């Protein structure tokens, strides 16, 4: 039985290696290429699902380039805003919410290619990318070419930053990225409880939270620091427009001032 398992693992890994090698030349790889520099020198907003997120803020983003994630659809009944791009990569979230995710009316969606490859899960309007994992205890890499892969950073916001940069965006604003949860892991594997913290913009969002992954914000922080280093070296600006929260990697800006008199504000 052990030999059969070893043979199965060898065949699986070999097939995966070959598929990843040819991915950039495949139909899915070529589909990713069409996004290169389509928003050259523009700005975008990356929307987290933290408790600070409000429908009023989203209403202001109707004419902006926006990225949103996971179960953001729980706020759709409060706003006419819809994201330009939707991303999801968490296995447990997708397994539990794939019907809802599939029904989201967004023209461009991004998912790791292992969902159709390994689980036979397919989505409408989907773009699939290679997801590259690394050592969670060190800083991840930052993708210069998302056709060749996107690097895991323990937060889908890091994935969206890599996609936005590939699209040519030069100003990135984070909103609703509170970077704080009621239950978190640290690098030592210890569970940290904060009874004063809310996890998301609605309690409905994670009624199944005991069955989902416990976030490690220390890993996410390292990823955000890598994003900042890359941005600083490549004339890209990343700002934190979140109302409050605990993410201090990026320079903070006042979200409301970005829309004064409906004019762009230079920071």
């Amino acid at each position: 039985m052990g030999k059969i398992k070893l043979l199965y693992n060898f065949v699986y890994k070999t097939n995966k290696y070959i598929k990843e090698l040819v991915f950039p030349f495949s139909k899915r790889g070529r589909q990713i290429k069409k996004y290169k520099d389509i928003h050259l020198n523009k700005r975008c907003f990356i929307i987290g699902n933290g408790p600070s997120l409000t429908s009023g803020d989203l209403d202001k983003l109707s004419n902006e380039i926006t990225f949103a994630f996971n179960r953001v659809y729980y706020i759709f009944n409060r706003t006419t805003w819809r994201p330009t791009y939707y991303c999801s990569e968490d296995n447990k979230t997708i397994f539990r919410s794939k019907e809802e995710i599939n029904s989201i009316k967004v023209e461009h969606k991004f998912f790791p290619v292992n969902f159709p490859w390994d689980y036979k899960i397919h989505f409408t309007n989907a773009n699939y990318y290679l997801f590259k994992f690394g050592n969670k205890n060190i800083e991840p890499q930052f993708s210069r070419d998302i056709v060749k892969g996107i690097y895991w950073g323990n937060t889908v916001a890091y994935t969206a930053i890599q996609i936005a940069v590939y699209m040519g965006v030069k100003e990135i604003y984070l909103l609703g990225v509170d970077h704080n949860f009621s239950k978190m892991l640290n690098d030592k594997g210890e569970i940290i409880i904060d009874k004063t913290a809310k996890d998301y913009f609605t309690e409905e969002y994670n009624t199944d939270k005991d069955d989902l992954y416990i976030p490690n914000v220390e890993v996410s922080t390292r990823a955000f620091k890598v994003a900042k280093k890359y941005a600083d070296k490549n004339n890209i600006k990343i700002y934190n427009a979140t109302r409050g929260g605990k993410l201090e990697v990026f320079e903070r800006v006042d979200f409301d001032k970005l829309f004064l008199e409906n004019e762009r504000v230079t920071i």
Side-chain angles (χ1 to χ4, degrees):
M1 200 63 158
K3 290 182 178 179
I4 294 176
K5 186 176 181 180
L6 285 173
L7 179 61
Y8 173 83
N9 288 338
F10 173 77
V11 172
Y12 172 80
K13 289 179 180 179
T14 301
N15 286 339
K16 184 178 180 183
Y17 172 77
I18 294 171
K19 287 194 290 186
E20 290 182 352
L21 200 63
V22 303
F23 180 85
F25 311 100
S26 68
K27 181 179 179 181
R28 286 173 173 150
R30 294 195 304 270
Q31 188 171 332
I32 292 288
K33 287 181 181 179
K34 71 182 183 182
Y35 292 99
K36 178 66 176 174
D37 288 338
I38 63 169
H39 298 308
L40 189 61
N41 298 325
K42 298 294 181 64
R43 74 174 181 178
C44 79
F45 290 79
I46 290 177
I47 314 299
N49 294 319
S52 66
L53 186 67
T54 70
S55 58
D57 287 344
L58 293 177
D59 289 339
K60 297 178 181 179
L61 299 179
S62 295
N63 296 317
E64 299 283 347
I65 301 163
T66 55
F67 292 79
F69 318 123
N70 297 329
R71 292 170 172 169
V72 66
Y73 49 81
Y74 278 122
I75 207 168
F76 285 176
N77 63 345
R78 292 184 250 159
T79 176
T80 57
W81 165 87
R82 294 295 183 269
T84 317
Y85 302 102
Y86 173 88
C87 310
S88 189
E89 61 192 29
D90 176 83
N91 284 15
K92 291 188 176 183
T93 297
I94 288 179
F95 292 159
R96 288 174 172 271
S97 306
K98 57 181 180 290
E99 289 82 11
E100 293 87 345
I101 290 171
N102 199 45
S103 67
I104 295 174
K105 290 180 172 56
V106 174
E107 188 175 350
H108 310 274
K109 301 175 183 176
F110 289 86
F111 307 93
V113 74
N114 64 290
F115 286 103
W117 280 358
D118 297 340
Y119 307 112
K120 309 305 178 188
I121 296 176
H122 300 265
F123 295 100
T124 57
N125 302 328
N127 299 279
Y128 297 101
Y129 57 86
L130 292 175
F131 209 18
K132 294 185 173 292
F133 291 90
N135 186 336
K136 68 178 183 179
N137 296 313
I138 61 176
E139 290 185 341
Q141 296 184 60
F142 191 95
S143 179
R144 293 177 177 271
D145 182 357
I146 65 171
V147 177
K148 296 178 181 178
I150 293 176
Y151 292 97
W152 174 85
N154 200 46
T155 170
V156 68
Y158 185 62
T159 293
I161 291 172
Q162 293 173 82
I163 295 173
V165 168
Y166 183 77
M167 291 177 171
V169 171
K170 290 298 184 181
E171 288 181 23
I172 299 172
Y173 296 90
L174 305 184
L175 180 69
V177 183
D178 292 66
H179 202 53
N180 187 46
F181 300 89
S182 60
K183 181 187 288 188
M184 298 174 285
L185 278 175
N186 63 19
D187 283 341
K188 297 178 182 178
E190 300 167 333
I191 295 178
I192 310 300
I193 303 294
D194 182 355
K195 294 183 179 180
T196 66
K198 289 181 62 179
D199 292 321
Y200 299 102
F201 57 80
T202 176
E203 294 298 327
E204 186 182 14
Y205 189 102
N206 65 336
T207 54
D208 58 348
K209 65 180 178 181
D210 291 337
D211 297 319
L212 301 179
Y213 294 112
I214 302 174
N216 183 327
V217 295
E218 293 182 2
V219 176
S220 304
T221 298
R222 283 194 288 274
F224 285 135
K225 288 180 177 178
V226 170
K228 186 177 188 305
K229 288 179 184 177
Y230 184 90
D232 289 346
K233 289 180 180 178
N234 291 276
N235 196 31
I236 300 165
K237 302 296 184 183
I238 305 179
Y239 301 105
N240 184 6
T242 299
R243 300 182 187 280
K246 294 189 176 181
L247 179 59
E248 303 300 342
V249 173
F250 308 107
E251 178 184 347
R252 284 186 176 269
V253 296
D254 187 329
F255 178 78
D256 295 317
K257 290 182 178 179
L258 300 175
F259 304 92
L260 289 177
E261 298 179 355
N262 296 317
E263 296 290 337
R264 288 288 301 275
V265 176
T266 301
I267 296 178

